[in-house]
Amino acid sequence: MVFTANDLQEWKDFPKGLKVLLLEGDSISAAEIRAKLEAMDYNVSTFCDENEALSAISSTPQNFHIAIVEVSSSSSQGGFKFLENAKDLPIIMTSNNHCLNIMMKCIALGAVEFLSKPLSEDKLRNIWQHVVHKAFSSGTSILCESLKPVKESLVTMLQLPTDNEQDENKVSIDIDEAARFTDYDHVLSPGNDKYPAPSTPQLMHGTRLLDDGDCQDQTNCSTEKESGEHDGESKSVETTCGNLNAETESTPQERKSDMTLAREEVDLVDASKGESIASLHTQKRKVLSNPDKNTKSANIVGVVSDSCEIKPRRKKMKVDWTPELHKKFVKAVEQLSIDQAIPSRILEIMKVEGLTRHNVASHLQKYRMHRRQIFPKEEDRKWLNQRERIYCVQRPIMAFPPYHSNQTLPMAPIYPMWGQSSTQTAGMHIWSSPGYPLWQPTAEHWHWKPIPGMHADAWGCPVLPVPPPQAPFPYTKNMPALLNADATGQTFTMPQSSLEHYPAEEVVDKVVKEAVSKPWLPLPLGLKPPSTDSVLAELSRQGICSIPPRSSKGSN
DNA sequence: GGAGAAATAT
DNA sequence: TATATTTCTC
């Protein structure tokens, strides 16, 4: 079939003029369906006998783009003969009988869809999708002659790559042109192959949900929305569709930063807002059609390659808080102090390109949440922060009880990871498990290396001495009998003289509880973190005059 | 308009 | 379930 320029011109209004073969045994039903189809400017040829219909498509295949065939109970073949002998055409089977077996048989025999009667306008409106799908899913050599013009027309209309060009993964789409499809609700839906099977509304639900779900009219592309937060710095965020972002003009190497975007999803635009979904589907097809190229980065999922030539107005960027990025974050928080750390200031300090205040705020929220989760053991942090890392040595001596006095200290090493790590390996989980104390390290005592015998069984964990194996910290009546051991197994005996003057548990509890109940406030000692001396001084101020001498390792 | 919490999405 | 994003409230 020769397709003329005139034909192309006609297809400008695609799918108007779509040629539909209607095989329907009931004349009344046929008339109704035909009327509906013609109301949509489809050209309908009605047949009541499938042999006649088969003859027609055999003699004049160019006259039919799609067939709607009733599973007839009156016909001996029930319409299946047509289905089996007209495989070149996309065939939609219909029936009043909603029997699953019949539906499955139809599909198994090659029907593109089964529509339950009655056929509403909604059901009929989008049957053209099957034509497009058939045209694009079939190889040129086996493509039904009648569908070639459809394909060619669409290729021209949408500036889709030709078969030869598709490997180039170059898609340029005229959104305005493609926007005409929005009148038909959907264009091409994502699916399993290059141009996956479309569906009429009956089967379009999933796709529709997908669209609706992402069609939020919000500028959640923070890079764009909050560009003012970037301090005017050059953008170097590694985006997954750099050329989609007009702000990002640096080279991939330049764009590489410690902040990576795990995902940058192109927002599906809402047709109801006058934006074309065609561009979206084009991008989706693009992704699907070239998975290798688009999955070259492990952190990138479902993205459009750099060769994408269209510029969607909105996109989502998902920040991957890598250990390095988190490290920067923690550093900024530390610099500001947790009390003063607000997203905008953190962002200012971090100076990470592309990172937005929202990103930081979110992360800060999580950061604080984790702090609260570990709240019951927050007091541990005070001791972990002690200069010279004397916490585990000091703590029992100081007799600061755990928040729950009968609580057994975790046998597992205390590995707070909501902190800064200088050697944290990439990909390591940076969040601590609930219940582990937070460590806000400072440079001078930051240790991120396993030391033999230190219960440091993982990289990236601060090395902490091991608590005594049997009991919680001794600070009550049993204290004299208890020893504390450091990681090397050395134990420390509490000097008896000190124990005699040991403060009452209530007193200690009061101090501790006050401190841990308001972690956002400066610690009672007025220091953050408190130095050992400050703690001692404060205790002294509170009447705890006799403090066991500071033990050093191996002081037994 | 920013911060923070809650709700929602992935 | 963990984490990121979005929305809502102040």
Side-chain angles (χ1 to χ4, degrees):
Chain A
M1 176 181 176
V2 176
F3 199 73
T4 65
N6 197 32
D7 293 327
L8 269 177
Q9 189 64 33
E10 290 177 7
W11 281 103
K12 184 178 179 180
D13 294 327
F14 183 89
K16 291 181 180 179
L18 197 72
K19 296 168 182 175
V20 181
L21 185 155
L22 177 61
L23 178 55
E24 173 67 55
D26 178 41
S27 59
I28 297 177
S29 177
E32 289 178 356
I33 298 172
R34 177 174 189 143
K36 291 176 181 176
L37 290 169
E38 289 181 338
M40 301 165 192
D41 293 319
Y42 292 161
N43 293 332
V44 183
S45 302
T46 306
F47 297 85
C48 59
D49 180 81
E50 62 182 343
N51 289 324
E52 290 180 9
L54 283 170
S55 297
I57 62 170
S58 175
S59 58
T60 56
Q62 70 275 14
N63 285 345
F64 309 102
H65 296 125
I66 190 170
I68 300 175
V69 178
E70 181 198 24
V71 179
S72 172
S73 56
S74 58
S75 168
S76 59
Q77 301 293 337
F80 293 121
K81 180 181 178 182
F82 183 91
L83 178 58
E84 293 182 89
N85 289 279
K87 292 185 180 298
D88 282 349
L89 277 182
I91 299 174
I92 297 172
M93 301 299 286
T94 69
S95 178
N96 286 312
N97 189 341
H98 303 169
C99 173
L100 185 62
N101 284 342
I102 292 177
M103 297 170 68
M104 292 177 69
K105 182 179 180 181
C106 291
I107 302 301
L109 290 176
V112 295
E113 188 173 3
F114 180 95
L115 293 179
S116 300
K117 283 189 174 181
L119 300 182
S120 66
E121 292 183 357
D122 277 346
K123 290 178 181 177
L124 294 170
R125 184 179 303 281
N126 295 313
I127 60 174
W128 60 266
Q129 295 176 78
H130 295 294
V131 178
V132 174
H133 176 247
K134 188 87 172 182
F136 282 85
S137 63
S138 301
T140 306
S141 57
I142 62 173
L143 182 60
C144 176
E145 283 297 319
S146 66
L147 300 183
K148 287 183 179 176
V150 177
K151 183 176 183 178
E152 293 169 8
S153 174
L154 291 175
V155 166
T156 302
M157 178 188 303
L158 303 180
Q159 299 181 35
L160 294 174
T162 64
D163 292 335
N164 293 334
E165 294 170 341
Q166 283 180 6
D167 289 342
E168 304 291 332
N169 198 30
K170 285 279 185 181
V171 177
S172 176
I173 185 168
D174 184 335
I175 293 178
D176 293 334
E177 190 77 20
R180 290 190 281 130
F181 283 90
T182 58
D183 291 340
Y184 296 89
D185 296 338
H186 300 90
V187 196
L188 305 175
S189 55
N192 58 342
D193 55 15
K194 210 161 44 177
Y195 302 104
S199 177
T200 59
Q202 199 177 37
L203 298 180
M204 201 62 175
H205 185 62
T207 304
R208 190 184 298 276
L209 286 176
L210 172 65
D211 286 355
D212 291 344
D214 275 356
C215 283
Q216 302 170 28
D217 185 20
Q218 54 198 2
T219 310
N220 46 26
C221 171
S222 301
T223 300
E224 298 170 1
K225 181 179 179 181
E226 304 187 1
S227 57
E229 300 180 357
H230 299 157
D231 297 332
E233 294 182 21
S234 62
K235 305 297 183 293
S236 66
V237 172
E238 181 177 353
T239 67
T240 58
C241 186
N243 63 335
L244 292 182
N245 183 356
E247 300 172 1
T248 306
E249 297 177 349
S250 51
T251 66
Q253 287 73 24
E254 289 168 337
R255 281 189 273 117
K256 188 172 186 177
S257 95
D258 52 0
M259 172 189 173
T260 58
L261 302 177
R263 259 182 304 192
E264 178 176 344
E265 299 171 357
V266 178
D267 273 2
L268 308 189
V269 288
D270 191 344
S272 65
K273 296 179 176 66
E275 299 179 56
S276 170
I277 63 171
S279 61
L280 164 74
H281 289 306
T282 302
Q283 294 166 53
K284 284 187 173 179
R285 289 198 307 273
K286 198 160 145 43
V287 171
L288 292 169
S289 65
N290 198 347
D292 292 339
K293 186 166 187 175
N294 292 307
T295 55
K296 58 186 176 184
S297 168
N299 284 342
I300 300 171
V301 180
V303 297
V304 181
S305 75
D306 286 354
S307 63
C308 180
E309 297 174 0
I310 58 181
K311 295 184 178 181
R313 299 173 197 180
R314 303 181 181 95
K315 57 184 169 57
K316 295 176 185 173
M317 294 186 302
K318 193 164 188 174
V319 175
D320 181 12
W321 283 91
T322 62
E324 281 302 309
L325 190 59
H326 177 67
K327 176 182 169 184
K328 269 192 174 181
F329 170 86
V330 173
K331 189 175 180 181
V333 172
E334 284 181 334
Q335 185 173 332
L336 291 166
S337 85
I338 187 65
D339 306 331
Q340 308 297 321
I342 60 175
S344 56
R345 299 176 75 174
I346 295 172
L347 184 65
E348 208 170 272
I349 294 175
M350 288 180 71
K351 287 186 168 61
V352 173
E353 302 156 18
L355 194 64
T356 69
R357 187 180 54 79
H358 278 137
N359 295 139
V360 174
S362 172
H363 200 64
L364 182 61
Q365 181 180 14
K366 189 170 62 174
Y367 181 83
R368 287 169 170 160
M369 188 177 67
H370 277 260
R371 284 177 60 99
R372 293 192 192 101
Q373 284 183 353
I374 62 171
F375 168 76
K377 294 185 177 181
E378 181 80 1
E379 69 271 26
D380 283 346
R381 179 173 61 89
K382 300 166 196 161
W383 308 110
L384 301 182
N385 269 319
Q386 297 308 308
R387 194 171 300 171
E388 301 167 8
R389 295 195 295 119
I390 59 173
Y391 26 84
C392 274
V393 174
Q394 195 86 357
R395 182 165 53 181
I397 296 173
M398 296 297 291
F400 267 52
Y403 191 76
H404 306 291
S405 58
N406 59 346
Q407 177 182 1
T408 300
L409 286 175
M411 293 308 295
I414 302 172
Y415 288 154
M417 297 181 191
W418 252 114
Q420 180 179 358
S421 164
S422 58
T423 59
Q424 202 167 4
T425 54
M428 176 180 171
H429 217 58
I430 57 177
W431 313 111
S432 64
S433 300
Y436 287 126
L438 169 69
W439 181 348
Q440 292 185 305
T442 56
E444 66 226 67
H445 55 260
W446 184 244
H447 295 272
W448 281 95
K449 57 181 180 181
I451 296 177
M454 296 288 275
H455 277 225
D457 50 7
W459 276 91
C461 299
V463 175
L464 303 179
V466 183
Q470 296 295 330
F473 290 129
Y475 58 90
T476 58
K477 303 167 187 173
N478 296 332
M479 182 182 290
L482 294 173
L483 302 175
N484 185 30
D486 72 359
T488 60
Q490 294 168 308
T491 58
F492 311 95
T493 305
M494 192 67 67
Q496 188 65 32
S497 59
S498 300
L499 295 171
E500 290 170 352
H501 298 88
Y502 212 79
E505 179 177 349
E506 305 81 52
V507 175
V508 177
D509 265 281
K510 182 181 178 182
V511 174
V512 173
K513 287 180 179 178
E514 182 177 355
V516 299
S517 65
K518 299 176 181 178
W520 57 88
L521 296 177
L523 293 170
L525 310 178
L527 295 174
K528 187 178 182 326
S531 67
T532 302
D533 292 338
S534 299
V535 173
L536 297 175
E538 176 65 14
L539 289 173
S540 174
R541 188 187 65 78
Q542 295 184 22
I544 306 173
C545 303
S546 179
I547 305 299
R550 175 184 291 185
S551 299
S552 59
K553 287 186 179 180
S555 64
N556 62 334

